[in-house]
Structure formats: C-alpha cells, structure tokens
Amino acid sequence: MNISHTVCQIEHHAMMFAFLSKHAIRLCGNRGKDAILDAMTEYGKERGRRMALNAQTHGDPLNTMTNQAYGEWKPDYPGQMEFGQLCTEPTLQTYISKCAWCEAWQKHHITEYGKYYCVNVDNAVYQGFRPDFTCTPISTSMSWGGDCCKFDWGHPLSAEDNEALAAKKKELGTSCMKDFNFHTAHLMHTITRVLIKQLGAAGEKAVTLALAEYVDTFGQEYLDVLDTISLDEIYPFEV
C-alpha cells in the first residue's frame, strides 16, 4: 500500500493514546493506570528534551520564553485550538479553551481513558526542557470536566520577553515543528516501551489490542506510516 501521502492529524495522536490507555487499564486496573501515567510523563519529558536540544543548537538559553518558543506542533488548521495568555506577571499563566484532543475523545466516546493524557503532560514537557521548572494546573482540565485548562508556568514573562517570544517564533517559523506522523509514532513507541517494562506480557497484550483498534478506526495505512519515522529522530538522546 502506498502510504507516502498518509498524514496523521491530532485525532490520530489522541486516539493512539486513548486506545493504549483503555486496554492497559482494562487489563491491569490500577497498575495499568499507573503505567499509563508514568508513560505519559516519560513521553512529555522526551518532548521537552528535544525542545531543549533545539534551543541549545540555536544558542538560546533554557528559560520560560524559549520554552514557549520551541513548541514542536501546531494545530491541523486555523481555529482548531483556542489558547493564549491570561497574564504574564508575576508569573506567566496560559489557557486552552478549545482542545482538539478533547474533541477527538468526545467524538469517539473514549474520554474516560483519553483524559489520562492531560494529568501531567504539560508539566512533564516543561521539566524535560529544564528539570528545575514546574508547570502547575490552576483549573480542572476540560477532559476532566472543567470549562477551560489553565496553567501557571512559575516565572514571569516581561513585556520585553513577550516581544522576544514573538520575534523568536517568527524567526523559527515551523523549522522545529514535527507533523503528527512523527508525534503519533513517538507516542506509540514510548508508551509501548513503558507498558511492556511495567506490565510485562499484559502490557504487550494491551499494545496489541490498542493497535488493532487503531487500525480498525483509521485503516492500516495510518499505522504503517508510523514505521517511516526514524527512531534516531524521535530519540536524539539515550532512552
């Protein structure tokens, strides 16, 4: 099958997680839930480490401004996500009021499993970027029943920092961003690794069931395309 034009979107990424979460929890209960949460923390930290490597490659310091500048993804189309700044001082606080991940889980009636994605991923990415940083949720996330996701990033973003952020985003464009073939492959590989490490044969079974459900939902080509992503690109560091 020709998969050269197969392009995953946020929905595929969201559902890859939800299916892995569903089968780990159904097979292993609280052990499966703990393994999924650990896997998401590992995944987030790996994303943050790649962002930090990109910043350092460009000669930029690791601070809150550059963390915001070196994000690795963008929405599939304008208006798919709604997010922004609540305030910049005394600490940067941001919000998400429309989330494509939440909408995918709602569409497929799987929010009860998809919601575990949201527990620590933002903080994990931030700590992967710089281990002494902490991102604190200051509202109940939408996937857990809240109206809006809000975060406190623990450091101020001055007017000068905000100008520098806009300039840095303009300079970088999409050069450090990855498509959702990449992100879905990364998610699959990292969660698979952690589930098998923590749950053994039950983890392997959870992964097999999850990938089968993913293929049933989207088609084999949306799984096969993930094999075209190089592990050296996903993990430019030891794991």
Side-chain angles (χ1 to χ4, degrees):
M1 182 180 294
N2 184 352
I3 59 171
S4 60
H5 300 298
T6 302
V7 179
C8 292
Q9 297 185 318
I10 290 174
E11 181 179 357
H12 300 89
H13 185 263
M15 294 305 296
M16 174 64 76
F17 173 80
F19 291 142
L20 288 162
S21 175
K22 170 185 171 180
H23 290 289
I25 292 170
R26 284 191 173 182
L27 285 171
C28 298
N30 286 334
R31 286 182 63 235
K33 186 186 301 180
D34 289 343
I36 277 292
L37 292 173
D38 287 347
M40 276 309 300
T41 296
E42 181 66 18
Y43 167 76
K45 286 184 175 180
E46 289 168 357
R47 280 176 46 189
R49 288 173 70 185
R50 278 198 311 263
M51 289 162 59
L53 284 173
N54 278 331
Q56 291 168 327
T57 298
H58 285 81
D60 288 328
L62 302 184
N63 56 36
T64 300
M65 185 280 284
T66 54
N67 173 264
Q68 298 290 306
Y70 278 89
E72 289 189 311
W73 65 271
K74 62 183 180 68
D76 298 319
Y77 54 85
Q80 185 184 30
M81 302 280 293
E82 293 177 1
F83 51 86
Q85 297 176 345
L86 291 168
C87 64
T88 56
E89 295 180 302
T91 57
L92 172 66
Q93 295 183 359
T94 62
Y95 71 90
I96 303 171
S97 57
K98 183 179 181 183
C99 174
W101 279 265
C102 288
E103 290 181 356
W105 299 325
Q106 290 167 2
K107 172 184 173 182
H108 294 274
H109 309 290
I110 200 169
T111 301
E112 65 178 305
Y113 298 110
K115 67 183 182 181
Y116 292 103
Y117 183 95
C118 308
V119 171
N120 191 46
V121 66
D122 298 277
N123 180 58
V125 173
Y126 202 34
Q127 294 194 325
F129 188 78
R130 184 166 155 171
D132 59 328
F133 280 3
T134 301
C135 172
T136 305
I138 54 175
S139 69
T140 301
S141 68
M142 288 184 286
S143 60
W144 286 79
D147 295 327
C148 183
C149 302
K150 299 177 183 178
F151 306 94
D152 189 314
W153 299 87
H155 297 274
L157 205 64
S158 68
E160 292 79 10
D161 290 334
N162 241 345
E163 289 179 7
L165 174 59
K168 179 57 66 174
K169 284 184 173 181
K170 183 176 180 181
E171 172 195 331
L172 293 172
T174 60
S175 63
C176 294
M177 292 184 180
K178 308 291 187 181
D179 65 21
F180 278 94
N181 289 353
F182 177 94
H183 289 301
T184 307
H186 178 199
L187 184 79
M188 178 186 69
H189 285 298
T190 293
I191 293 183
T192 294
R193 184 178 75 242
V194 175
L195 291 185
I196 292 173
K197 179 180 179 181
Q198 293 196 16
L199 304 176
E204 291 185 22
K205 184 176 180 180
V207 171
T208 298
L209 292 170
L211 296 185
E213 192 164 3
Y214 177 88
V215 168
D216 286 345
T217 303
F218 298 114
Q220 184 67 42
E221 66 271 25
Y222 284 96
L223 182 61
D224 290 344
V225 75
L226 305 184
D227 289 334
T228 68
I229 307 300
S230 164
L231 291 179
D232 288 338
E233 185 182 0
I234 293 174
Y235 304 114
F237 41 70
E238 266 190 52
V239 293

